[in-house]
Amino acid sequence: MNRAFDLRMGESHIEVYKFRTGAIPIATLLALVIQAWLPLHFTRAALLDLPLLVVIYLGLSRRNPSTGLLLGTAVGLMQDSLSGPTVPLGLFGIAKTVIGYLASSLGARLDTEHPAARFALTAGFFIIHQAVVALTRRILLAQPEPWFTLHNFAAALVNALVAMFLFVLLDRLRRPS
Amino acid sequence: MPPRHKSLVLLAGVILLQVLLLAVQIKRDSQGRLIRTWTVGAVSPFERVGSYGFGWFRNAWRNYFALRGTRKDNEDLRRENDRLKLQIAQLEGKAAETDRLAALLRFRQSQSDIPMMAARVIGGSAGPASLTIELDRGERDGIRRDMGVITPDGVVGKVSEAYANTSQVLLLTDRTSGVGAMLATSRILSPVGGVGEPLLTMKYVPNDDDVSLGERVITSGMDHIFPRDLPVGTVTEIKPGVDFKRIRVKPAANLEKLEEVLVLLTLRPLETANESDPEGAKSSSPPALNPPPVAHP
């Protein structure tokens, strides 16, 4: 299992990374726990969406849309489960399913190893994630929800900045090729 | 199926499952499950389209195809409507006639001591020179010349000619006609006669006597034709004259629309059942100057 796969698209080739055994579940659970715990002590930490960052990272790294969307579904549903009764199961699940699929699809076409690319992609995915959440709330749940605010923009930048460092840490969980 | 399409199908399926998961959990304000709201929202457009389509088809059928026999039905209904209108007019005429005959009967029963006969008006004046009507009863029925003719409303005139089966009645409005009368309130005696116009005239009431507009004029019985206290008319106009007032009287009976009348079958002096003491009446003028003009044919 100590292998790396190559996706050849045109003349460029993009590697598909595998991770150490148990790395993905552990990273996911850790992100969820920290996400649930951190805002209790640091209010401003509510800006972060660590499960989303994990989904983005794994999607960009695995580069398999099916795996990416299923992982996004699992993470999103768990986040929904931990978010209390005001968040119905499926709200973040749908959004992270979409992000998992998009990240995997884009990761198969772009080089996502560069920090600047990771920053831009994370910010973009965060905005899309918020848009899907707002869409779900407004259309499906008939709940008032703004499409996009300055707060969301700031959160997108913060998450993208955090992702630049978090993704470097997560890179260490990859199996060496 | 290409891997890309496979992942798209998987994406759609996973999202759909989660949407259904949302629907099962959420309750709207109406306490209905969201899935029920969505199901209704998804199905109702088709129901609405089906309902409109069915309604359109039904209206088209009712308003166009099912109207093939309407023209004939319309003609039949129009004919039936005309027939019913005619029938209604006939029934209304019969009802009015029944009312009139009932009034005559009641009047006749109230004056049971006076012999009288109901007769139907079958003709009118042949020319403007005289105001007469023709009755369907004549000498064979006991009608004789100078008999009085009345209706429950009041005096009509007197028989001017009696033939075998018909008779002619000179109306009170004719210029040669008249009746012994008096004012009902003041009891002033004075004959009332016609002048060839719809209104009658009361000629011999002195200027000194008080007469008021609207006062009733009744028969005095002095002409020996009509019993006392039958309505003659109502005072409608009073003007002072040289010696006597010029009083116009509107006839009590509708002399222009007579259909049935009563003929008083006697030539003897008459008295009605409720006749009071005639001494209550006072003469307004010397009898020699005031002969009742009832003897004119």
Side-chain angles (χ1 to χ4, degrees):
Chain A
M1 300 295 288
N2 209 8
R3 291 175 295 172
F5 298 90
D6 286 346
L7 282 177
R8 297 187 178 277
M9 303 188 65
E11 295 185 355
S12 63
H13 77 278
I14 297 173
E15 289 186 62
V16 176
Y17 296 102
K18 290 282 189 178
F19 292 87
R20 298 176 192 276
T21 306
I24 294 176
I26 290 172
T28 303
L29 285 175
L30 201 59
L32 288 167
V33 169
I34 294 172
Q35 181 68 41
W37 172 81
L38 204 56
L40 294 177
H41 303 278
F42 304 100
T43 309
R44 293 189 181 280
L47 284 175
L48 291 174
D49 193 344
L50 293 178
L52 175 64
L53 299 184
V54 170
V55 168
I56 293 171
Y57 175 79
L58 294 176
L60 292 174
S61 302
R62 294 283 298 177
R63 293 164 178 165
N64 182 324
S66 298
T67 307
L69 73 91
L70 288 175
L71 182 68
T73 302
V75 173
L77 288 176
M78 283 189 284
Q79 190 178 6
D80 289 330
S81 302
L82 295 171
S83 298
T86 58
V87 177
L89 287 176
L91 178 64
F92 291 122
I94 293 173
K96 286 181 168 56
T97 299
V98 173
I99 296 302
Y101 175 81
L102 292 177
S104 303
S105 300
L106 272 179
R109 290 168 172 76
L110 301 173
D111 178 12
T112 58
E113 298 301 311
H114 195 277
R118 286 177 167 178
F119 180 89
L121 284 172
T122 303
F125 285 137
F126 185 89
I127 291 170
I128 294 172
H129 179 269
Q130 290 304 114
V132 174
V133 168
L135 186 75
T136 305
R137 282 193 185 277
R138 293 171 68 106
I139 304 298
L140 299 182
L141 305 181
Q143 294 174 351
E145 178 75 10
W147 287 110
F148 195 75
T149 63
L150 197 60
H151 177 80
N152 289 335
F153 182 71
L157 294 180
V158 169
N159 278 277
L161 192 63
V162 170
M164 289 174 64
F165 299 98
L166 180 65
F167 287 2
V168 173
L169 287 176
L170 292 175
D171 286 342
R172 297 179 180 274
L173 299 177
R174 290 175 178 171
R175 284 177 179 168
S177 55
Chain B
M1 182 182 291
R4 177 180 168 75
H5 290 174
K6 195 180 293 182
S7 63
L8 272 176
V9 170
L10 183 62
L11 173 68
V14 170
I15 289 179
L16 180 63
L17 283 175
Q18 293 184 87
V19 168
L20 290 175
L21 185 63
L22 280 175
V24 171
Q25 302 168 78
I26 300 301
K27 278 188 175 181
R28 282 279 167 83
D29 294 340
S30 58
Q31 296 301 311
R33 294 277 179 193
L34 195 59
I35 191 168
R36 177 174 294 176
T37 305
W38 289 354
T39 305
V40 171
V43 172
S44 60
F46 297 101
E47 291 177 330
R48 189 175 291 114
V49 168
S51 176
Y52 286 157
F54 179 74
W56 180 87
F57 179 78
R58 184 180 56 194
N59 289 337
W61 179 265
R62 285 181 179 173
N63 295 333
Y64 296 99
F65 299 107
L67 296 181
R68 288 179 301 174
T70 301
R71 182 185 298 274
K72 182 177 179 304
D73 293 343
N74 199 23
E75 291 174 356
D76 292 344
L77 289 173
R78 186 175 289 120
R79 277 196 293 272
E80 185 178 3
N81 191 36
D82 293 341
R83 185 178 59 80
L84 290 174
K85 280 182 179 175
L86 185 62
Q87 191 172 354
I88 288 172
Q90 290 173 341
L91 290 174
E92 285 177 346
K94 286 183 178 177
E97 182 180 8
T98 302
D99 291 342
R100 292 193 303 271
L101 293 174
L104 284 177
L105 182 61
R106 282 196 299 273
F107 179 78
R108 186 172 176 178
Q109 287 172 343
S110 68
Q111 306 290 339
S112 57
D113 56 329
I114 303 174
M116 59 182 73
M117 171 186 287
R120 187 182 301 272
V121 177
I122 58 174
S125 302
S130 63
L131 296 173
T132 59
I133 56 173
E134 192 171 353
L135 304 182
D136 65 343
R137 304 276 188 171
E139 283 187 335
R140 289 182 180 174
D141 302 298
I143 294 179
R144 300 291 183 269
R145 190 178 177 185
D146 289 338
M147 284 183 170
V149 180
I150 61 175
T151 69
D153 294 329
V155 176
V156 171
K158 65 176 183 178
V159 177
S160 56
E161 294 290 344
Y163 305 105
N165 296 311
T166 60
S167 54
Q168 190 180 55
V169 177
L170 188 68
L171 294 178
L172 202 55
T173 48
D174 188 273
R175 64 178 66 251
T176 61
S177 185
V179 60
M182 63 180 176
L183 292 163
T185 305
S186 59
R187 314 302 286 182
I188 299 172
L189 289 166
S190 171
V192 169
V195 291
E197 298 174 359
L199 294 181
L200 309 173
T201 180
M202 200 172 197
K203 297 179 179 177
Y204 302 110
V205 177
N207 286 327
D208 297 338
D209 288 344
D210 291 332
V211 180
S212 55
L213 285 174
E215 189 170 356
R216 288 176 58 239
V217 179
I218 57 177
T219 54
S220 64
M222 301 293 286
D223 54 15
H224 300 277
I225 293 177
F226 297 99
R228 288 187 58 176
D229 294 335
L230 286 178
V232 174
T234 307
V235 175
T236 58
E237 183 182 323
I238 307 169
K239 289 182 179 178
V242 178
D243 295 317
F244 302 101
K245 292 178 183 292
R246 289 186 294 173
I247 299 174
R248 305 299 297 273
V249 177
K250 181 184 179 183
N254 189 353
L255 302 181
E256 296 173 353
K257 291 182 179 178
L258 291 169
E259 294 188 59
E260 292 90 16
V261 296
L262 292 169
V263 181
L264 305 177
L265 295 176
T266 178
L267 292 172
R268 294 176 298 170
L270 292 170
E271 289 184 351
T272 56
N274 56 354
E275 185 175 359
S276 58
D277 184 4
E279 291 180 357
K282 63 177 183 179
S283 176
S284 61
S285 59
L289 296 177
N290 193 19
V294 295
H296 301 290

